[in-house]
Amino acid sequence: MQEPRSTLPALFALGFRPLFLAGALFAVLAVPLWIAAFLGHIEFTPAGGSLGWHRHEMVFGFGMAIVAGFLLTAIQAWTGVPTISGLPVLLLTALWLAGRLVWLLNAPLWLLVPVDLLFLPLVALVIGRLLFKVRQTRNYPVLVMLVLLTLCNLLALLGLAQDDFALQRHGSVAALWLIAGLMGLIGGRVIPFFTQRGLDLREQTAALPRLDNLLMAGSVFVALLMLTGVGLRPSPWQAPIYLLLGLGHLLRLLRWHHPRIWTVPLLWSLHLSYAWLALALIAMALWHGGWLLGFSQATHLLAIGGMGGMILTMISRVSLGHTGRPLQPAAAMSLAFILINLAVPLRVWLTIPMPLTGYWLAALCWASAFALFVWHYTPILLAPRPDGRPG
């Protein structure tokens, strides 16, 4: 396992390096491409059509690149066992890239389905092997989430193969809400810890295990509602479920809050992304109750503010910490965090009275935020650790 570290470029030393960079580059390109196609500026015919491609690829392309990069790196810290490095990382990254290309180029199904489906099970295999090796049951829910995400992708691919738009939608939207569950699981651990470390507090906010477990179970239940299609139809009986989950996340956020987080960009951006997750759940409750017009509004509160915002902050921090650098991002990253949060109201609310302006401004803010990451972090991700340690 040590040989690839010495023979391949530093980019493949750990999974976060190539997958964070690839995922961020994909984010820069994919959203403007989708908006241009959606508004009729270009002809774009990927697999599943432009809408099906956008829905699938922002979750299983962009989202899963970052989730995989994070987990393949964090698992080493969690278990104390060396994770994959070198050639296996290169091959996994190449498989992820191949999955994006077969969708983009509308490859035949006999090629597209296995290429796209294989990535997540392989990531789960790596994670599971290390967890089982040390019998670390605390992190088994992460493995369960990866298996469920694989099933969501399988359903979306079955929908593509059968030309069934509803199945495609069920799989992709359910996966987005599973990512929300991962945000709750991982965020519940790292946000209070990062807040304590970032502000040099005496101790971090104590966890509430019952609340944590309830939110985790609720996230999986919501994803199952989406997977069956039940959650995609407004039903008043579902409103209390989303409302309780949203209020539970807000309670967490209030307990973690400290006035000085607003002086640290890596903290306020993380807290804001978690707030968007809570607001997305409350918006879903309003939609099911008949008080909000668009399902898409709630979905994009989660996708842009929650998922996109947390991803941008986490990759900015993890890329510094795991390359042996001080946790002080470039000043321009504060602008990136502002832009990703500004994209939320532009996409969710401005597009109602001013569609053309709202869509393009939101896409510009999103793409610019991740472009700033790519610009400032590419040299870091390509270079060896300055302390000479592996990773």
Side-chain angles (χ1 to χ4, degrees), residues 130-213:
L130 296 183
L131 289 177
F132 293 149
K133 187 172 185 177
V134 297
R135 301 292 190 271
Q136 195 175 74
T137 57
R138 177 174 181 259
N139 285 312
Y140 284 0
V142 172
L143 188 60
V144 172
M145 297 295 267
L146 288 174
V147 172
L148 290 174
L149 283 164
T150 301
L151 292 176
C152 289
N153 196 23
L154 177 60
L155 186 67
L157 290 169
L158 286 173
L160 179 67
Q162 298 174 12
D163 198 23
D164 187 330
F165 184 81
L167 280 184
Q168 292 182 54
R169 186 176 182 230
H170 292 182
S172 297
V173 176
L176 176 62
W177 285 97
L178 282 175
I179 291 177
L182 277 174
M183 288 173 58
L185 177 65
I186 303 300
R189 298 177 186 178
V190 303
I191 294 177
F193 174 69
F194 289 170
T195 301
Q196 179 212 0
R197 294 290 296 272
L199 300 180
D200 197 25
L201 303 176
R202 181 172 298 178
E203 57 185 21
Q204 71 182 60
T205 304
L208 297 177
R210 288 185 179 178
L211 177 61
D212 297 347
N213 293 336

Side-chain angles (χ1 to χ4, degrees), residues 143-383:
L143 188 60
V144 172
M145 297 295 267
L146 288 174
V147 172
L148 290 174
L149 283 164
T150 301
L151 292 176
C152 289
N153 196 23
L154 177 60
L155 186 67
L157 290 169
L158 286 173
L160 179 67
Q162 298 174 12
D163 198 23
D164 187 330
F165 184 81
L167 280 184
Q168 292 182 54
R169 186 176 182 230
H170 292 182
S172 297
V173 176
L176 176 62
W177 285 97
L178 282 175
I179 291 177
L182 277 174
M183 288 173 58
L185 177 65
I186 303 300
R189 298 177 186 178
V190 303
I191 294 177
F193 174 69
F194 289 170
T195 301
Q196 179 212 0
R197 294 290 296 272
L199 300 180
D200 197 25
L201 303 176
R202 181 172 298 178
E203 57 185 21
Q204 71 182 60
T205 304
L208 297 177
R210 288 185 179 178
L211 177 61
D212 297 347
N213 293 336
L214 178 64
L215 292 175
M216 185 65 192
S219 297
V220 173
F221 182 65
V222 164
L224 292 175
L225 288 176
M226 299 294 179
L227 196 65
T228 59
V230 174
L232 296 169
R233 297 185 294 272
S235 310
W237 67 266
Q238 295 184 53
I241 299 170
Y242 291 94
L243 181 60
L244 287 173
L245 289 173
L247 292 176
H249 284 295
L250 281 180
L251 174 60
R252 268 179 147 189
L253 198 58
L254 289 171
R255 297 183 71 247
W256 299 334
H257 183 264
H258 190 286
R260 286 197 287 126
I261 65 168
W262 303 104
T263 65
V264 183
L266 284 176
L267 290 181
W268 63 252
S269 55
L270 194 58
H271 282 249
L272 268 183
S273 68
Y274 203 88
W276 288 122
L277 163 62
L279 289 177
L281 284 158
I282 293 171
M284 282 296 297
L286 294 175
W287 179 71
H288 278 291
W291 298 298
L292 184 69
L293 293 179
F295 175 85
S296 178
Q297 292 171 283
T299 301
H300 284 88
L301 283 169
L302 172 61
I304 301 174
M307 183 181 78
M310 185 170 287
I311 280 176
L312 185 61
T313 303
M314 289 294 289
I315 62 179
S316 299
R317 181 188 175 98
V318 170
S319 297
L320 294 174
H322 281 278
T323 58
R325 290 169 170 80
L327 298 177
Q328 295 292 333
M333 288 309 297
S334 294
L335 175 60
F337 300 147
I338 292 170
L339 288 171
I340 197 71
N341 284 282
L342 184 58
V344 182
L346 291 172
R347 170 59 184 86
V348 173
W349 294 298
L350 186 62
T351 52
I352 298 173
M354 303 171 64
L356 189 64
T357 302
Y359 281 119
W360 273 119
L361 284 178
L364 178 63
C365 287
W366 170 280
S368 298
F370 283 98
L372 284 168
F373 173 86
V374 171
W375 178 261
H376 287 284
Y377 281 84
T378 295
I380 294 172
L381 295 171
L382 292 178

